């Protein structure tokens, strides 16, 4: 892998979910399923209107042009509807690492196979196509549900960055970091594959 390699817009498809690179055409449906205040409580950006959703999608599209980020709309294959979003962030080709973040799923589809399979698709792409040696995640220290989910997929909790971000309401957010390393990936992949298929 060369130091100049960038993320490419790629569709990732599994049994339950298809991850489609963010496009303007996704905005209406993303807002329709994302219009739930609780989805954004722990995000370091506000999405309380369709215009803010549009700004988020357009910002991710712009970031994708630089090759260091790629946002995806999550489409449930059971009914072909958009159910949420997720992203690759901060891709570092030199050090072979990337973050998975800005993940949300509409309440109706939470605690389904979609989130697990989406993580499986993203991690497979990161480790096997991008040849990453590290995939990282960060979450609000108050977001216990997210921390539990990250532990469940096999990520290792590394520590807490105190007053790491200023939230839209002005709160100083502590961020908890997790990671999966390439040496851990085979076991994590087996576990995730079993969970998706069971």
């Amino acid at each position: 892998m060369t130091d100049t390699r960038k993320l490419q817009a790629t569709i990732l498809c599994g049994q339950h979910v298809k991850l489609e690179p963010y496009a303007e055409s996704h905005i209406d449906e993303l807002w329709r399923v994302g219009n739930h205040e609780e989805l954004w409580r722990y995000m370091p950006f506000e999405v309380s209107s369709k215009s803010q959703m549009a700004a988020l999608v357009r910002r991710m599209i712009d970031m994708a042009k630089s090759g260091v980020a790629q946002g995806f709309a999550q489409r449930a294959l059971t009914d072909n509807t958009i159910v949420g979003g997720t992203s690759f962030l901060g891709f570092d080709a030199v050090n072979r690492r990337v973050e998975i973040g800005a993940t949300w799923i509409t309440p109706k589809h939470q605690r389904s196979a979609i989130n697990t399979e989406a993580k499986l698709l993203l991690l497979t792409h990161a480790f096997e196509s991008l040849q990453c040696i590290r995939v990282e995640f960060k979450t609000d220290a108050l977001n216990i549900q997210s921390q539990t989910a990250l532990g469940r997929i096999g990520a290792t909790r590394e520590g807490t960055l105190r007053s790491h971000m200023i939230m839209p309401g002005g709160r100083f957010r502590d961020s908890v970091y997790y990671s999966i390393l390439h040496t851990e990936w085979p076991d994590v992949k087996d576990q995730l594959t079993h969970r998706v298929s069971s």
Side-chain angles (χ1 to χ4, degrees):
M1 177 168 147
T2 65
D3 292 350
T4 56
R5 185 165 183 177
K6 297 181 178 181
L7 288 173
Q8 303 292 328
T10 304
I11 293 174
L12 305 175
C13 194
Q15 304 171 51
H16 306 282
V17 65
K18 179 165 67 170
L19 305 182
E20 305 173 0
Y22 274 145
E24 294 264 350
S25 59
H26 291 131
I27 291 171
D28 285 347
E29 198 167 0
L30 284 167
W31 172 240
R32 189 160 57 250
V33 299
N35 185 14
H36 298 277
E37 183 180 354
E38 66 271 21
L39 292 175
W40 312 103
R41 182 174 298 129
Y42 301 113
M43 295 286 194
F45 46 80
E46 186 176 1
V47 181
S48 58
S49 66
K50 182 179 174 182
S51 64
Q52 288 178 331
M53 178 66 80
L56 170 63
V57 171
R58 289 171 182 144
R59 184 166 65 249
M60 290 304 306
I61 291 171
D62 286 343
M63 289 171 65
K65 293 174 184 174
S66 70
V68 298
Q70 180 61 64
F72 297 90
Q74 301 191 69
R75 185 178 298 280
L77 295 179
T78 52
D79 57 8
N80 202 40
T81 59
I82 298 293
V83 297
T86 190
S87 300
F88 281 132
L89 303 166
F91 178 55
D92 182 341
V94 175
N95 295 296
R96 294 166 59 187
R97 68 172 181 251
V98 71
E99 177 186 349
I100 294 174
T103 299
W104 60 275
I105 298 175
T106 194
K108 176 183 174 183
H109 288 275
Q110 290 177 9
R111 290 173 293 281
S112 70
I114 286 174
N115 185 50
T116 303
E117 187 172 56
K119 290 294 191 295
L120 175 60
L121 292 169
L122 291 167
L123 287 164
T124 300
H125 189 68
F127 286 119
E128 299 179 13
S129 296
L130 301 175
Q131 297 296 301
C132 288
I133 60 173
R134 170 185 170 88
V135 175
E136 59 191 30
F137 311 81
K138 66 177 180 287
T139 187
D140 194 314
L142 299 180
N143 191 347
I144 304 303
Q145 181 179 342
S146 175
Q147 293 171 54
T148 300
L150 287 169
R152 196 181 305 123
I153 68 168
T156 297
R157 181 177 176 135
E158 296 181 321
T160 302
L161 299 187
R162 299 177 299 161
S163 296
H164 181 234
M165 295 180 171
I166 301 176
M167 298 294 281
R171 173 173 66 87
F172 294 170
R173 167 183 143 165
D174 294 347
S175 293
V176 183
Y177 268 77
Y178 288 76
S179 71
I180 298 171
L181 304 183
H182 71 294
T183 52
E184 301 161 341
W185 169 233
D187 288 340
V188 171
K189 183 178 183 179
D190 286 346
Q191 293 174 28
L192 290 176
T193 301
H194 176 73
R195 287 181 56 198
V196 168
S197 60
S198 60

